[in-house]
Amino acid sequence: MAEPVAASKENVSVPRPIRPHTLRSIYRNRWFYLMMVPGLVYYALFHYAPMAGTLIAFQDYNLMKGIWGSPWIGADNFKLIFDNPEFYQLMRNTLLISVYKIIASLLPEIILALLLNEIRVRWFKSLVQTITYGPYFLSWVIVYGLVFSFLAPGSGLISTFVRDSGWGQIDLMTSENFFRPLLVMTEIWKNTGFGAIIYMAALASVNQELYEAAVVDGAGRWRQLWHVTLPGIRDVFVLMLILKIGGILDAGFDQVFIFLNARVYEVGDIVDTWVYRYGFERLEFGVAAAMGVFKSVVGLVLVIGANKLAKKVGGNGIW
């Protein structure tokens, strides 16, 4: 009987011991690690633990039986989604609204940040920044109330003015042609100030020596803007664009749900409002969860693709 061949030292994996200086480093920074604990617990409880609910997408979920007791049906929920005649209309509405918002919001954010960056009077700059940033803290319910007070059929300020001026009756809030522009305009009014703050932070990190060198070379304000300022915020612009592309299937549920009405369902019904109806009105939790999984997969693919594209054109991307 042949004797077993002794394993060579190269094939034996010996666990690397924790070096003393690593332990000392952890102990020296123990308070920083301790401050990380609440954040780690938050993400573990509210971001990673709920991922177990993804199983609902592959089940005929029953509230009484729970996740572990509901029957497994495989991909039937996904088949029901893709076979639904409303699916392609929902995707079309969601993509159009999201793309409109992305295209329309990026430029105002950059322009506002550039304008604020040029203001030299500190108190006036703070005043303008506060006014433009204020709407971000309003809920969409309040924004809808403001819009309703202006555009409500028959009683809104603008509607009444148009009617009393003899120009006829307008009904903008229930108009299919005006619904998507209304979403875009309210999105810009509410969130432009917040986006401008992000770009202002990027502008603050631009090396001031570049401006001094541009002045020495005879560059005016427009040349400095084109050759120094815009390249300085390019990476932030690409980052914001990638993040918005990754959430292209969201389209802003809270905003659309508040503004949506029966007359504009054909142009305003999106994936998230459909999920709400199936999940909370019809109690079809499995179908709603399957749509959520589909959205997550599409978002992941878009983020990865946009990140690779950004690197190919010379940007840094997210990672």
Side-chain angles (χ1 to χ4, degrees), residues 134-153:
Y136 177 77
F137 295 98
L138 300 178
S139 69
W140 281 113
V141 177
I142 298 177
V143 175
Y144 175 79
L146 294 173
V147 174
F148 187 84
S149 66
F150 283 95
L151 301 179

Side-chain angles (χ1 to χ4, degrees), residues 178-199:
F178 189 70
F179 182 74
R180 289 170 182 165
L182 179 63
L183 295 179
V184 173
M185 287 188 293
T186 52
E187 174 79 14
I188 293 174
W189 179 77
K190 186 176 186 297
N191 294 325
T192 297
F194 176 77
I197 287 181
I198 297 176
Y199 286 109

Side-chain angles (χ1 to χ4, degrees), residues 175-232:
S175 171
E176 291 185 353
N177 296 327
F178 189 70
F179 182 74
R180 289 170 182 165
L182 179 63
L183 295 179
V184 173
M185 287 188 293
T186 52
E187 174 79 14
I188 293 174
W189 179 77
K190 186 176 186 297
N191 294 325
T192 297
F194 176 77
I197 287 181
I198 297 176
Y199 286 109
M200 286 189 66
L203 289 171
S205 63
V206 177
N207 190 349
Q208 296 300 314
E209 294 180 356
L210 296 177
Y211 290 104
E212 297 174 1
V215 172
V216 172
D217 291 339
R221 301 300 298 176
W222 288 107
R223 285 292 182 180
Q224 294 177 38
L225 173 67
W226 184 257
H227 293 287
V228 179
T229 304
L230 293 181

Side-chain angles (χ1 to χ4, degrees), residues 123-174:
W123 68 266
F124 183 70
K125 180 178 181 179
S126 301
L127 177 63
V128 174
Q129 191 170 354
T130 302
I131 294 174
T132 55
Y133 188 46
Y136 177 77
F137 295 98
L138 300 178
S139 69
W140 281 113
V141 177
I142 298 177
V143 175
Y144 175 79
L146 294 173
V147 174
F148 187 84
S149 66
F150 283 95
L151 301 179
S155 60
L157 294 176
I158 296 179
S159 302
T160 303
F161 175 77
V162 172
R163 182 193 61 200
D164 294 344
S165 299
W167 297 333
Q169 187 75 24
I170 62 171
D171 195 359
L172 298 178
M173 298 195 69
T174 57

Side-chain angles (χ1 to χ4, degrees), residues 102-103 106 199 236-246 306:
I102 292 174
I103 295 175
L106 284 175
Y199 286 109
V236 176
F237 173 81
V238 172
L239 173 63
M240 296 293 292
L241 183 60
I242 292 174
L243 294 177
K244 290 185 177 183
I245 290 176

Side-chain angles (χ1 to χ4, degrees), residues 2 14 33 37 45 57 119 125 130 132 152 187 196 209 229 249 282 293:
V14 179
Y33 289 109
V37 171
L45 291 179
I119 298 177
K125 180 178 181 179
T130 302
T132 55
E187 174 79 14
E209 294 180 356
T229 304
L249 289 185
R282 302 186 186 183
V293 173

